[in-house]
Amino acid sequence: MRFASLGSGSRGNATLVSHKRTTLLVDCGFSAKETEKRLQRLNVNADALTAIVITHEHSDHINGVRVLARKYKLPVYATAGTASCLSADVKALIAEFSSHESFAINDIEINPFPVPHDAREPSQFVFNSGKHSLGLLTDVGMSTPVIEQALSGCDALLLEANHDMEMLDNSIYPEHLKYRVSGRLGHLNNVQSSKLLEKIDTSHLQHIIAMHLSEKNNSPNIVAPLFSQALNCDESWIGIASQNSGFDWRELD
Ligand SMILES: [Zn+2]
Ligand SMILES: [Zn+2]
């Protein structure tokens, strides 16, 4: 199984997960045109995609879904709550899933789990190839036992490290936005993410990548040392997904 990111952050998110002849686009927060361009950078043609899988309906995760899904006739996997927020002309393409039940899209098994976030019915995922598992967790205000159980023992983790608390506190964000971002239905800060890493089984981990970093209220220079401390590993081993270029293909073996 291999995976890559087209970009990660509040201006757009999209992740690729690929195994054998199945390639999933997880979220599509860029315009369809921009998504096609970014896919090309990773040597993927949009017509080679198998499906789009959506975590939740916030625009930085669904901006390009409607146009891309219709253009390439891609099935769109979403929970009922997320699906209810998508435009009517994409409804025919929707395949609903329950965030409590595993399902497969061709060669990839998907284990969704519900997360606390200010959306209708948000979920995040562990992708399984039969041999390896890849956990994805972004857009979540706090950790829960369900999350910790789901992410324990994964071979790779894409984990939100949204903001540095002090930087957010001192930022020019209006109070209500600070409250939203740092709240229990907002986003994980660096310390919360590090604590999560310390708590779960990371003994199989081949890749760790920090995701959804705030461009204004965070910095890779803060995240990398914290994650390396939590995992007791070299700082250079910590991957960081950027807003502009995400990260290049990585492989599990
Ligand atoms: Zn987001
Ligand atoms: Zn969100």
Side-chain angles (χ1 to χ4, degrees):
M1 189 158 58
R2 52 191 207 123
F3 55 95
S5 164
L6 280 64
S8 180
S10 57
R11 289 191 291 115
N13 297 274
T15 306
L16 286 169
V17 181
S18 186
H19 181 54
K20 293 184 180 167
R21 287 160 74 176
T22 306
T23 301
L24 307 178
L25 183 64
V26 184
D27 289 335
C28 184
F30 304 101
S31 72
K33 210 171 171 183
E34 180 66 19
T35 303
E36 287 168 340
K37 209 169 84 186
R38 290 180 182 232
L39 284 170
Q40 288 299 334
R41 290 206 302 238
L42 293 162
N43 295 313
V44 175
N45 281 319
D47 55 15
L49 293 172
T50 310
I52 302 175
V53 184
I54 305 181
T55 59
H56 65 299
E57 72 276 15
H58 288 161
S59 61
D60 58 321
H61 297 261
I62 64 158
N63 254 329
V65 168
R66 192 180 71 88
V67 175
L68 203 79
R70 283 165 56 92
K71 184 170 174 186
Y72 296 98
K73 301 196 168 51
L74 295 168
V76 176
Y77 287 78
T79 60
T82 302
S84 71
C85 302
L86 298 174
S87 63
D89 54 0
V90 83
K91 291 255 149 80
L93 293 165
I94 288 173
E96 279 184 16
F97 66 83
S98 156
S99 56
H100 298 278
E101 279 167 41
S102 298
F103 61 99
I105 302 177
N106 299 355
D107 302 301
I108 301 176
E109 187 190 78
I110 300 164
N111 305 289
F113 53 92
V115 293
H117 189 56
D118 52 1
R120 283 281 178 88
E121 194 185 355
S123 61
Q124 297 288 324
F125 309 104
V126 174
F127 301 92
N128 208 303
S129 67
K131 197 171 166 203
H132 293 115
S133 57
L134 162 68
L136 169 68
L137 180 70
T138 71
D139 298 78
V140 53
M142 57 183 277
S143 187
T144 64
V146 167
I147 291 172
E148 283 151 22
Q149 197 188 0
L151 298 184
S152 265
C154 279
D155 300 287
L157 281 178
L158 309 180
L159 175 62
E160 172 164 69
N162 182 262
H163 58 280
D164 172 80
M165 274 187 294
E166 210 174 322
M167 285 175 83
L168 180 66
D169 261 352
N170 297 328
S171 75
I172 55 160
Y173 278 20
E175 284 308 311
H176 71 88
L177 192 54
K178 288 183 188 178
Y179 185 78
R180 193 232 139 204
V181 169
S182 64
R184 287 147 67 96
L185 296 176
H187 294 270
L188 289 183
N189 67 48
N190 298 338
V191 173
Q192 286 174 301
S193 307
S194 305
K195 285 203 171 128
L196 176 59
L197 281 178
E198 281 168 7
K199 206 163 176 191
I200 62 175
D201 172 11
T202 53
S203 60
H204 299 280
L205 217 51
Q206 295 179 33
H207 302 272
I208 170 76
I209 299 174
M211 306 285 286
H212 218 302
L213 269 73
S214 164
E215 291 177 291
K216 293 194 178 79
N217 301 318
N218 210 354
S219 153
N221 299 331
I222 303 175
V223 177
L226 277 172
F227 274 22
S228 78
Q229 217 170 33
L231 292 168
N232 196 18
C233 70
D234 201 89
E235 221 176 283
S236 61
W237 192 65
I238 308 295
I240 307 272
S242 74
Q243 179 69 81
N244 288 334
S245 48
F247 61 84
D248 203 354
W249 284 108
R250 290 188 176 220
E251 190 124 24
L252 279 165
D253 54 23

